[in-house]
Amino acid sequence: MASRLWASKAASYLKISTFNRGFASVVKDLKYAESHEWVKVEGKSCTIGITDHAQDHLGDVVYVELPEVGAAVTQGGSFGAVESVKATSDINSPVSGKVVEVNEQLTGEPGLVNGSPYENGWIIKVEISDSNEANSLMDSKQYSKFCEEEDKH
């Protein structure tokens, strides 16, 4: 019991939501797309990855297809793919803009997407062209509820 309390306090400190059931973690202060990508907006720059929920459903990630730096991405459009032992899934951009950096570490260590989806497993960084697009995305509470509903089906 004490370890669960400690974990809950640690999660609170790290701004990670915890659930009583086996749901994946969701980070506050990020925005989420229905296709299970997250985005952290910082001014005109944003970092994009796939959510803990998505990586959990995919299973062990064995390959990440990355776009070229300079490529244009559009909100809802595919820019790459994640291949796991179970399936290959497109990665869609939650916002429109230009790719300014890709996570080259994923080429040699695609499992970072599983082990650290919100930190070391980020996929691309984008110079956002319309910061208002992020307003159409879900916050952490909305995304958690979305995942619960989706998992019921």
Side-chain angles (χ1 to χ4, degrees), residues 6-114:
W6 179 87
S8 180
K9 283 185 178 182
S12 173
Y13 176 75
L14 295 170
K15 296 183 176 179
I16 297 173
S17 299
T18 56
F19 303 95
N20 293 332
R21 301 191 343 233
F23 290 110
S25 65
V26 175
V27 177
K28 292 181 184 174
D29 303 325
L30 298 180
K31 293 288 195 167
Y32 299 89
E34 288 186 2
S35 52
H36 302 288
E37 291 84 15
W38 59 265
V39 60
K40 180 178 185 178
V41 179
E42 297 170 292
K44 294 289 277 175
S45 175
C46 64
T47 304
I48 297 169
I50 66 168
T51 65
D52 190 33
H53 181 84
Q55 72 77 26
D56 185 53
H57 282 270
L58 280 169
D60 292 338
V61 173
V62 295
Y63 178 74
V64 180
E65 179 188 311
L66 299 168
E68 296 288 324
V69 170
V73 294
T74 55
Q75 186 177 43
S78 174
F79 67 79
V82 177
E83 187 177 321
S84 74
V85 293
K86 293 182 183 177
T88 299
S89 181
D90 284 342
I91 311 168
N92 299 316
S93 185
V95 294
S96 300
K98 182 175 81 172
V99 177
V100 293
E101 188 178 346
V102 297
N103 188 349
E104 297 288 351
Q105 257 192 299
L106 297 178
T107 304
E109 298 177 75
L112 289 172
V113 171
N114 295 114

Side-chain angles (χ1 to χ4, degrees), residues 88-151:
T88 299
S89 181
D90 284 342
I91 311 168
N92 299 316
S93 185
V95 294
S96 300
K98 182 175 81 172
V99 177
V100 293
E101 188 178 346
V102 297
N103 188 349
E104 297 288 351
Q105 257 192 299
L106 297 178
T107 304
E109 298 177 75
L112 289 172
V113 171
N114 295 114
S116 183
Y118 299 114
E119 316 249 317
N120 300 327
W122 62 273
I123 297 171
I124 62 171
K125 293 189 180 186
V126 170
E127 183 181 297
I128 194 168
S129 57
D130 181 358
S131 53
N132 289 326
E133 283 183 342
N135 296 334
S136 68
L137 301 170
M138 293 178 275
D139 64 21
S140 59
K141 286 183 181 177
Q142 291 167 320
Y143 181 68
S144 294
K145 184 173 175 133
F146 175 79
C147 290
E148 285 182 48
E149 291 299 315
E150 188 178 80
D151 284 349

